[in-house]
Amino acid sequence: MSRRWRDLPFAVAFLAPSLLILSAFVLYPLGRAVWLGHQRCDATGANCRSNGWDQYVDVFRSEEFQQALGVTVRFALLTVPVGLALGIALAVLADKHLRGIGFFRTVFSSTVATSVAVASLMWFFLLNPSVGVLADWIGGVAKNPGLLRDEDTALWAVAVSSIWANLGFTFIVVTAGLQSIPAELYESARVDGAGGWTRFSNVTLPMLGPTLLFAGVVLTSRAFQAYGEFDLLTGGGPNGSTTSLTYLVYGNNSIIKNNVGLQAAVAVLLFVVLILLSALQIRGVERRVHYGN
Amino acid sequence: MATSAASRRWRTAGRYALLVAVAVVVLFPIWVMLVGAFKPGNKVLQDPLLPTSVTLDTLRDAWRDGKLGRALVNSTIVALIVTVAQVVTSVLSAYAFAFLRFPGRTLLFALFLATLLVPFEATVVVNRETVQDLGWLNSFQGLAVPFLATAFGTFLVRQVFLTLPKDLREAARMDGLGHLGFLREVAVPLARPTLGALALFGFLASWNQYLWPTVISTDDDWNTVQSGLRTLSQAQIDRPNLVIAGTVIVALPIFVVLLVFQRQLVRGLTAGAVKG
Amino acid sequence: MSVPPHMQRRRRRPVVAVVAVVAAAGCVLLAACGSGRSILEAGNEPRPTTPTTTPATTVPGQTTVPGQTTVPAPTTAPPTTLPRPIDSLPPCDMAALDTAAADGPVEVLFWHGMANELGRELERIVGEFNASQDRVEVRLEFQGGYEQTIDKYLQSDTDNRPDLVQMPEYTVQLMVDTQSNVPVQACMEDIGYDAADILPSALRAYATEGIQWAMPFNLSNPVLYYNKQVFRDAGLDPEAPPRTLDELAEAGRTIQSSGAAAYGIALDSAPDGGGGWFLEQWLAKEGEFYSDNDNGRAAPSTRVLFDGPTGVSLLTALRDVVVNGGGVYVGENPGGTDTFLKLADASAPASMTIATSAALGAVLQFVEGGIIPGIGVDDIGIAPMPSPTGAPGTLVGGASLWITAGRGDAEAAAAFEFVQYLVSAEVQSQWAAATGYVPVNTAAPGLEPLLGVYATDPRFRVAYDQVAETPDLPTSDGPVLGPLREVRVTAAGAMAQILNGADPATALADAASLANALIADYNARR
């Protein structure tokens, strides 16, 4: 038996558990969703009939989808770069052997302990114009009806909550990345007379490449799939200004809530957007990131 | 060089000042939450920054009304099952992709990676049907089974396995170690830090599941902490801080887990987990 | 070793790349294509074209005559719904319970959406029912709220549905179309149940096509909550709260100029509150239908009517209350508490709000705790919901009880046995006294504890009186629309824009055309 086939029994055995789960709960439902996306069904999801595959095209071009896509993209643009920058800043700040640095590291990573629901409910409390402290401080704009209830600020307010909640994760990942940068690199940079900022931009950032890629990909995919924040903080409002693609699919206030065919179409199109996005990400980043080996 | 020492001292002081300032900003929402959680409901609107009156009543009510005791048990059991299973399935499939040769390997790996991009939202409706057909609504199986394997874990562990020198496997084969033996005695021990990080991520992801538990339970005995919080967040006119007390209860265990495992997490990630 | 030059070139690239890629993807996608059409029109089937609504050209402030309908004369004979023969629906055999109960109690699984205080009172009632007899054992399962109850009911198959489910008033058509219920009428006829004591308007709310589908259980309607102390401080009569929207604005201005409070009324735009539900109520008070074909009760509705002259002048008046009538708009109020919290706001409180009567019990507890400094329970006033012309009356709000078909004759019969208990005068008396709901049993106010509550605290009576004063008109039975919740969301969107200053006619016309698309789409999928 050739080498090519000899491992097959092991491969089957080793891959079976993962394959089974992924097929049953990811691939199969994805396939079903693709099929459902060209159909219209009644409110219980039964009595489906074809509505033509151009339903996908029309859904994509529809006002609601375009608006939700815009919201989703803006949410990612608000949360990912700021989240990454803050994570780097905090990690660099805490990357020093100082007395008590462990305490600060724990503080900075503490928001990892908050889930989406916890963080959202906290910020709901902070931003509520009647109860919240922040609303009082920010004054003017934050009052009546409040940052979360104002079409111009709601998405920003949700983004702040999300950035805060993800900060711990980014901090931990970047800290790990910093610790794997060989100290000699800094030493040689120092010998060359590089100042703090030069060392940061010439050594730290390039060496963090893979780490930042990882964190960026995770944050981007979280941003594109965020749901709980919108569900708990804004209910997709005001006036659709925080109806993301995921909220359009599942939200209580979505107009396609009991419309399985259209829900599936939106969800599948979200998948397509994510594929395009990661293809671009990988292509764009691969050419630029220094992998260190 | 007195000036240099002085300037270094100043710089250290400046760094401390910055650290403290940032810590205050990061902790601010947490502080407000703690103050709110320990206040009686009727005092919440006054002095939200100061614990002017302290009571455990709100926490107790949140515990009772959100059925958080039961929810904590559910979440813990599910998260543990998911964590262990994800590590095991990830190690097995990562091993297959890293060390085994079989036809269609590249294609299959691409398929695995593709599942990373499927938004959970795209599968929820159909998965609910599946779970319902299996009779798993309101059960641990229903809460856990869809998450027992993850392409993310497979990918992460495979990356580590690929960094192991090729001759390790050859040497092991010389020693008469089969695939299982090599996996158990060489590969897994070398990947341990990464597996720790994977376990922690798996635990957190499972603990933080929000949509799924609300979708597949019709009985609040099967609430997890997140869906329990959602229940608590329903209109509470007379106790605006009840849900805040609930968030404290829910966040606390994770905070402890984090305190205990923080170093492992950083070490696991440092050990190449996030290298491309 | 110095820093390699290739590293220098590559600084900060990953971040930039991620940002650029996200931006590029977004811009490309967005610039490509918007069709400007609604998602509801997607697909190749020619969808029923939405009827164009008559442009609302009302001059702001123009009054409309109550009772005047805006339905244009139909060009063809109007479609009418024929009464459905009861035999065509799942039967109810109450004798099946007697047989089954001989072997022990029959379990009834009951899904409900009553949170907090309401849920605890319901638990208490169920506990008493279970203890009072040994034929039926009710198991209560809280679904997290009405919306979750609806979702889970729709998504579940018969095996995973409950035997009895509580559904809000806006789901009538949705539930009928699931074809999954034993109409309570079948059970009522089987044992000759005497429904004479059940509030007729509440029964009518859940009857269409000549079939009594469900039994009303918890009945609520919007009322005015106001702070009497502020009224006194402002020199207003705390016993004469505003009844019309003009009076509401006048009172708001007085309160604001006197400095007694920062604002008059706090208004929201929640789909199930100020944005959607109240709009239905206001139109009914003005004697208007919300949707054509008599609110969908003569034949399926094809379009909404809230963008007609009455709707436009109503929303214009509401906008004026916020813009120069001392009012404050608090947003979409997703948790249902923002309007009340605004009354307790430490720095800029409002002094009035409109909200469901079902919150009364909780609000009084809220105030009793001392959350508004210096304000006691007695300082909270309750009055009928103000309306454009001060007309009395209300639509039936709240929820009803639906029996699931296909889960066994004994289960259906047991569910109806429990339903009878829930709407009995005794239980309705306790339920209404504890919560602020209006009893659906007309004998309940004559029994303790409600008798005492109504006598000593007339505030609990306001919602009941609103029901009693409702004129006997076709417009007093609420709209029956499959996608009523989604239609409410569109109306709430318009309300939000208008209260933020948008033009009422335009905003309502846009919302109506989306609502009409929802109705057309629903009817096509049914």
Side-chain angles (χ1 to χ4, degrees):
Chain A
M1 198 159 56
S2 78
R3 174 85 210 273
R4 202 170 134 76
W5 295 96
R6 198 181 53 208
D7 288 344
L8 194 62
F10 282 102
V12 169
F14 283 11
L15 286 172
S18 290
L19 262 184
L20 189 71
I21 297 289
L22 292 177
S23 312
F25 294 103
V26 183
L27 297 174
Y28 161 70
L30 179 68
R32 270 276 289 154
V34 170
W35 175 252
L36 279 170
H38 91 292
Q39 299 197 307
R40 291 292 180 99
C41 312
D42 69 17
T44 62
N47 296 322
C48 296
R49 52 178 188 270
S50 169
N51 198 29
W53 288 95
D54 59 341
Q55 174 157 292
Y56 275 105
V57 179
D58 291 353
V59 164
F60 185 81
R61 298 183 58 193
S62 70
E63 226 172 327
E64 288 86 354
F65 186 91
Q66 291 287 317
Q67 193 188 357
L69 181 61
V71 168
T72 308
V73 169
R74 259 178 295 151
F75 184 69
L77 285 176
L78 286 174
T79 53
V80 178
V82 178
L84 272 180
L86 283 178
I88 297 170
L90 260 58
V92 169
L93 188 62
D95 190 40
K96 257 275 159 75
H97 291 288
L98 293 175
R99 188 186 289 270
I101 200 70
F103 167 78
F104 290 105
R105 285 200 182 137
T106 307
V107 168
F108 295 166
S109 41
S110 62
T111 72
V112 149
T114 62
S115 62
V116 168
V118 167
S120 301
L121 292 168
M122 279 171 60
W123 282 88
F124 186 81
F125 194 70
L126 283 169
L127 291 171
N128 184 299
S130 301
V131 188
V133 199
L134 280 187
D136 266 345
W137 289 357
I138 306 171
V141 278
K143 290 302 215 180
N144 314 327
L147 291 172
L148 288 168
R149 307 282 165 257
D150 184 328
E151 214 173 304
D152 298 326
T153 55
L155 193 64
W156 290 82
V158 178
V160 168
S161 150
S162 174
I163 289 170
W164 181 85
N166 281 325
L167 196 56
F169 164 79
T170 324
F171 171 79
I172 291 174
V173 170
V174 178
T175 298
L178 284 178
Q179 292 184 357
S180 61
I181 300 178
E184 313 88 72
L185 278 184
Y186 286 109
E187 277 313 311
S188 56
R190 206 189 297 271
V191 168
D192 288 359
W197 176 254
T198 320
R199 285 201 301 276
F200 173 72
S201 54
N202 287 5
V203 180
T204 313
L205 271 183
M207 292 304 293
L208 277 181
T211 305
L212 295 185
L213 173 62
F214 171 77
V217 167
V218 170
L219 288 183
T220 308
S221 92
R222 280 189 192 178
F224 269 83
Q225 299 184 45
Y227 173 76
E229 293 93 321
F230 299 114
D231 186 35
L232 288 167
L233 282 171
T234 61
N239 197 26
S241 61
T242 59
T243 297
S244 64
L245 288 173
T246 51
Y247 195 84
L248 185 61
V249 180
Y250 288 104
N252 270 346
N253 295 329
S254 167
I255 60 164
I256 58 165
K257 188 183 156 193
N258 295 325
N259 211 328
V260 173
L262 292 178
Q263 287 176 304
V266 173
V268 170
L269 287 171
L270 172 60
F271 172 57
V272 173
V273 169
L274 283 173
I275 289 183
L276 288 177
L277 198 66
S278 39
L280 285 172
Q281 266 183 336
I282 289 166
R283 274 183 69 97
V285 171
E286 243 175 15
R287 266 189 266 125
R288 296 183 167 89
V289 169
H290 172 67
Y291 279 92
N293 50 6
Chain B
M1 298 255 270
T3 47
S4 163
S7 100
R8 183 167 298 167
R9 223 176 4 249
W10 276 112
R11 203 173 293 178
T12 308
R15 190 176 279 261
Y16 270 119
L18 211 52
L19 280 168
V20 170
V22 174
V24 167
V25 172
V26 172
L27 286 182
F28 173 75
I30 296 175
W31 170 251
V32 173
M33 171 170 88
L34 286 174
V35 169
F38 283 96
K39 273 194 181 180
N42 56 3
K43 294 287 189 294
V44 166
L45 299 190
Q46 287 107 45
D47 302 319
L49 286 180
L50 302 170
T52 42
S53 46
V54 171
T55 175
L56 288 176
D57 290 357
T58 317
L59 286 161
R60 193 200 53 213
D61 289 354
W63 179 268
R64 182 196 61 196
D65 292 3
K67 298 197 179 176
L68 292 181
R70 173 74 199 235
L72 280 169
V73 172
N74 289 345
S75 279
T76 309
I77 293 175
V78 172
L80 287 177
I81 295 175
V82 167
T83 306
V84 172
Q86 281 192 359
V87 170
V88 172
T89 56
S90 297
V91 164
L92 289 177
S93 51
Y95 186 89
F97 286 126
F99 292 111
L100 301 180
R101 295 167 134 239
F102 53 94
R105 187 173 75 164
T106 319
L107 193 70
L108 207 54
F109 186 62
L111 195 67
F112 263 62
L113 285 190
T115 66
L116 270 178
L117 294 175
V118 180
F120 184 64
E121 284 73 15
T123 59
V124 167
V125 172
V126 180
N127 279 346
R128 190 191 187 280
E129 274 174 26
T130 308
V131 164
Q132 173 169 288
D133 292 345
L134 291 167
W136 287 353
L137 295 180
N138 304 320
S139 72
F140 285 123
Q141 300 96 292
L143 286 166
V145 170
F147 309 102
L148 294 186
T150 129
F152 173 72
T154 305
F155 178 71
L156 212 59
V157 181
R158 174 180 167 271
Q159 292 301 102
V160 181
F161 285 170
L162 287 182
T163 63
L164 302 183
K166 284 263 179 307
D167 20 327
L168 259 182
R169 174 74 196 106
E170 287 312 314
R173 203 201 308 278
M174 300 297 179
D175 291 348
L177 270 184
H179 286 299
L180 271 176
F182 179 69
L183 180 65
R184 200 174 50 235
E185 278 160 43
V186 183
V188 167
L190 285 173
R192 187 161 288 151
T194 300
L195 297 184
L198 173 65
L200 199 53
F201 275 129
F203 188 90
L204 286 175
S206 170
W207 185 272
N208 291 343
Q209 281 283 344
Y210 175 76
L211 188 56
W212 184 245
T214 60
V215 163
I216 64 136
S217 69
T218 59
D219 177 351
D220 55 13
D221 277 350
W222 291 98
N223 268 355
T224 63
V225 285
Q226 312 301 339
S227 52
L229 273 185
R230 196 172 196 269
T231 305
L232 262 188
S233 75
Q234 302 286 321
Q236 294 280 356
I237 301 158
D238 55 326
R239 287 167 301 175
N241 58 340
L242 195 67
V243 65
I244 289 304
T247 60
V248 170
I249 296 172
V250 169
L252 201 64
I254 292 298
F255 191 68
V256 172
V257 169
L258 182 76
L259 274 185
V260 175
F261 291 106
Q262 190 187 1
R263 196 159 295 167
Q264 275 91 323
L265 182 63
V266 172
R267 202 185 318 137
L269 289 170
T270 318
V274 295
K275 290 193 179 174
Chain C
M1 190 185 93
S2 70
V3 177
H6 68 273
M7 279 190 195
Q8 292 175 10
R9 258 190 294 113
R10 282 167 192 177
R11 66 188 177 183
R12 289 221 301 258
R13 281 290 168 67
V15 187
V16 175
V18 171
V19 174
V21 162
V22 172
C27 299
V28 166
L29 293 169
L30 286 181
C33 40
S35 65
R37 294 157 65 95
S38 168
I39 191 168
L40 298 162
E41 292 166 30
N44 67 358
E45 256 178 35
R47 312 212 67 78
T49 48
T50 58
T52 48
T53 48
T54 44
T57 50
T58 323
V59 182
Q62 175 190 325
T63 53
T64 45
V65 186
Q68 168 200 326
T69 58
T70 53
V71 189
T75 47
T76 53
T80 46
T81 314
L82 295 173
R84 243 194 248 213
I86 186 85
D87 310 339
S88 69
L89 297 162
C92 181
D93 176 16
M94 290 301 286
L97 176 59
D98 301 329
T99 323
D103 307 328
V106 174
E107 190 182 90
V108 170
L109 179 59
F110 176 26
W111 283 5
H112 72 98
M114 304 269 83
N116 309 318
E117 287 82 4
L118 304 177
R120 280 196 285 279
E121 178 62 15
L122 186 57
E123 273 171 32
R124 192 192 62 74
I125 290 172
V126 167
E128 286 197 354
F129 172 75
N130 286 340
S132 71
Q133 42 76 50
D134 54 10
R135 286 154 50 89
V136 179
E137 175 82 21
V138 175
R139 191 153 61 86
L140 210 51
E141 281 183 356
F142 175 51
Q143 298 305 307
Y146 286 152
E147 283 302 296
Q148 289 90 325
T149 312
I150 299 166
D151 288 351
K152 288 172 185 174
Y153 188 88
L154 291 180
Q155 291 164 358
S156 296
D157 54 20
T158 307
D159 287 345
N160 287 292
R161 280 177 178 160
D163 303 297
L164 185 67
V165 61
Q166 179 198 31
M167 284 286 179
E169 87 283 340
Y170 53 84
T171 58
V172 174
Q173 190 61 46
L174 192 63
M175 285 298 281
V176 169
D177 290 335
T178 62
Q179 303 177 26
S180 65
N181 300 102
V182 176
V184 290
Q185 183 179 330
C187 301
M188 291 159 82
E189 286 178 1
D190 192 57
I191 52 165
Y193 178 79
D194 180 9
D197 281 347
I198 307 297
L199 207 61
S201 62
L203 279 173
R204 277 203 311 275
Y206 302 104
T208 63
E209 303 171 57
I211 299 289
Q212 186 67 47
W213 299 102
M215 184 68 89
F217 165 55
N218 51 322
L219 199 172
S220 61
N221 49 57
V223 293
L224 180 75
Y225 290 75
Y226 65 102
N227 184 330
K228 288 185 177 179
Q229 187 55 46
V230 172
F231 271 56
R232 283 190 286 269
D233 292 347
L236 294 166
D237 180 358
E239 304 312 321
R243 298 192 72 95
T244 68
L245 295 184
D246 288 342
E247 289 172 22
L248 192 65
E250 188 59 46
R253 281 191 289 269
T254 309
I255 287 165
Q256 228 172 16
S257 61
S258 72
Y263 298 107
I265 193 159
L267 291 173
D268 70 342
S269 65
D272 303 317
W277 188 40
F278 296 180
L279 182 59
E280 291 155 31
Q281 298 278 350
W282 273 315
L283 287 176
K285 274 172 171 287
E286 298 304 298
E288 294 277 350
F289 285 116
Y290 184 84
S291 63
D292 67 349
N293 295 327
D294 295 3
N295 275 347
R297 287 172 184 271
S301 278
T302 59
R303 64 193 192 90
V304 292
L305 303 171
F306 57 64
D307 56 334
T310 313
V312 173
S313 70
L314 166 74
L315 269 287
T316 308
L318 279 173
R319 187 183 65 175
D320 289 346
V321 168
V322 172
V323 173
N324 52 26
V328 56
Y329 169 57
V330 300
E332 296 186 18
N333 194 12
T337 57
D338 288 357
T339 46
F340 291 116
L341 288 172
K342 192 65 192 162
L343 298 189
D345 191 330
S347 54
S351 44
M352 298 177 266
T353 192
I354 300 174
T356 171
S357 58
L360 182 53
V363 167
L364 293 182
Q365 280 184 29
F366 171 66
V367 172
E368 193 172 20
I371 193 148
I372 318 179
I375 298 299
V377 175
D378 294 337
D379 294 318
I380 298 299
I382 302 294
M385 179 193 202
S387 66
T389 56
T394 174
L395 290 179
V396 166
S400 58
L401 306 168
W402 297 73
I403 299 170
T404 311
R407 292 182 52 89
D409 289 346
E411 279 72 15
F416 187 70
E417 182 107 337
F418 175 58
V419 167
Q420 292 175 61
Y421 179 82
L422 282 182
V423 298
S424 66
E426 294 77 11
V427 171
Q428 282 291 314
S429 172
Q430 298 163 12
W431 173 244
T435 58
Y437 275 115
V438 173
V440 297
N441 191 311
T442 50
L447 294 177
E448 289 296 351
L450 195 56
L451 182 65
V453 169
Y454 277 5
T456 56
D457 194 346
R459 292 176 295 189
F460 276 82
R461 239 197 115 93
V462 173
Y464 181 74
D465 290 341
Q466 288 204 112
V467 174
E469 289 162 6
T470 304
D472 196 6
L473 292 171
T475 48
S476 297
D477 294 329
V480 176
L481 291 174
L484 183 51
R485 181 63 177 36
E486 291 90 331
V487 168
R488 278 183 178 179
V489 171
T490 68
M495 180 80 91
Q497 293 174 34
I498 292 166
L499 294 185
N500 275 324
D503 173 51
T506 318
L508 282 177
D510 289 350
S513 92
L514 185 54
N516 295 338
L518 279 165
I519 294 169
D521 173 61
Y522 181 90
N523 290 340
R525 286 189 290 130
R526 200 153 45 151

